[in-house]
C-alpha cells in the first residue's frame, strides 16, 4: 500500500475528489492547510502573504493503483489546463500496515 498526499489549490480540490470518486477512489481525507513552496509566498501591492492556503488530500491505495491516482490528481489539479507555478505537489509514501479501529486488526 502507499499513501498519496497531494497539496493542491483550494479551488481544485472538489474537482479532484469528484474525479477520484468516479474512478473508484471514494475514501480520502481533506484538510485545509497553510504553507509555501518554491514561490515563497505571494506579494500583491504592499501586502506580502508568507503562507498560502492549500488543501491537503490524503489517500491510501494499493501499490498497483498508485499511478492511476497520481495521474488523476495531476490532470485535475493543473490551473488553466496546462499547469502553473504553485499548482501543488504530490508525495507518495510506502505504508507497511493499516489498522481498522473498529475491528482492531491490521489490513495489508
Amino acid at each position: 500500500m502507499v499513501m498519496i498526499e497531494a497539496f493542491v489549490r483550494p479551488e481544485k480540490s472538489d474537482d479532484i475528489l469528484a474525479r477520484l470518486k468516479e474512478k473508484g477512489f471514494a475514501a480520502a481525507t481533506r484538510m485545509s492547510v497553510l504553507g509555501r513552496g518554491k514561490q515563497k509566498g505571494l506579494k500583491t501591492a504592499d501586502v506580502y502573504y508568507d503562507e498560502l492556503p492549500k488543501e491537503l488530500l490524503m489517500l491510501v491505495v494499493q501499490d498497483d493503483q498508485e499511478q492511476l491516482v497520481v495521474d488523476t490528481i495531476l490532470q485535475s489539479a493543473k490551473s488553466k489546463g496546462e499547469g502553473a507555478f504553485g499548482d501543488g505537489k504530490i508525495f507518495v509514501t510506502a505504508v507497511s500496515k493499516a489498522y481498522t479501529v473498529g475491528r482492531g486488526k491490521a489490513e495489508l
Side-chain angles (χ1 to χ4, degrees), residues 3 8 20 26 36 39 46 49 53-54 97 99 102 105-106:
M3 178 180 291
V8 298
L20 286 167
R36 63 179 174 271
Q39 77 244 39
D46 292 334
Y49 298 96
K54 297 288 183 187
K97 288 184 186 176
Y99 289 86
K105 294 185 178 180

Side-chain angles (χ1 to χ4, degrees), residues 43-105:
K43 181 171 172 65
T44 58
D46 292 334
V47 180
Y48 176 70
Y49 298 96
D50 187 43
E51 295 176 329
L52 302 174
K54 297 288 183 187
E55 291 281 319
L56 170 57
L57 308 177
M58 295 171 53
L59 299 90
V60 175
V61 300
Q62 297 300 323
D63 292 346
D64 62 343
Q65 299 170 322
E66 173 187 336
Q67 198 59 54
L68 175 59
V69 171
V70 169
D71 289 344
T72 302
I73 295 169
L74 287 171
Q75 292 166 5
S76 305
K78 291 181 179 178
S79 58
K80 302 175 187 171
E82 57 193 48
F85 202 56
D87 278 349
K89 189 74 99 175
I90 300 171
F91 298 95
V92 179
T93 309
V95 173
S96 60
K97 288 184 186 176
Y99 289 86
T100 300
V101 174
R103 292 192 349 224
K105 294 185 178 180

